[in-house]
Amino acid sequence: GAGVSQSPSNKVTEKGKDVELRCDPISGHTALYWYRQSLGQGLEFLIYFQGNSAPDKSGLPSDRFSAERTGGSVSTLTIQRTQQEDSAVYLCASSLRLSGSTDTQYFGPGTRLTVL
Amino acid sequence: DAKTTQPTSMDCAEGRAANLPCNHSTISGNEYVYWYRQIHSQGPQYIIHGLKNNETNEMASLIITEDRKSSTLILPHATLRDTAVYYCIVRPNSGGSNYKLTFGKGTLLTVNP
């Protein structure tokens, strides 16, 4: 079946502008995760959704970052007043998150954000 | 989460088996071994996971030692498209913030023609 999709694949923006990144999870996956990966760095957890709720937003770097999920499906990550240090690849993953079983996260291709 | 240790890089000839080792000597009883890979400029790709028993799927085999302190990912017939960074991670099945994946530096596998 279809995997996790993200759009846009690349986004170049000017410092101070707002950007919206979109994630379409695998159909039926109740859990959705946002990570970011800076050049040469590991994964940095941002936020976790279970359904439309976000039990863990602890990884959002500042209040300029927000995310929402509607209909238990699509999620949007919004970065306001972008800064150069926001430049990174933003990755979305989804999983079934069934209790009592292993929970494999499947990643999308990512959105490469460049803030000039 | 338990830490893992992997070689920085490995080479493999096309068509041969690639055996990628991972040490996880402090693994706990409820922690699974997961393998992902990341091809340049792409998102991480799930490969396989296991707890105690060896596992095989269409992509790879996972061999876990009896004491569970190490494992080996085997790509039986490596192709040029298998060139990627391979990440071995251990994570609990449930509880706490087990959903937060963290990748170490992984092993850069280069498959040569």
Side-chain angles (χ1 to χ4, degrees), chain A residues 33 35 37 40-43 45 48 55-56 58 91 97 100-110 112, chain B residues 32 34 36 38 41-46 49 87 91 93-105:
Chain A
Y33 316 82
Y35 296 86
Q37 192 172 36
Q41 301 298 309
L43 285 183
F45 168 82
Y48 152 53
D56 189 348
S58 62
L91 293 162
R97 196 108 184 123
S101 68
T102 56
D103 184 52
T104 299
Q105 295 182 26
Y106 297 88
F107 285 83
R112 181 176 298 277
Chain B
Y32 282 71
Y34 275 75
Y36 283 82
Q38 193 165 21
S41 296
Q42 297 184 22
Q45 179 186 22
Y46 165 76
H49 73 280
Y87 298 100
R91 54 189 290 249
N93 180 30
S94 61
S97 55
N98 73 316
Y99 47 81
K100 292 184 185 178
L101 294 187
T102 55
F103 289 172
K105 296 196 181 301

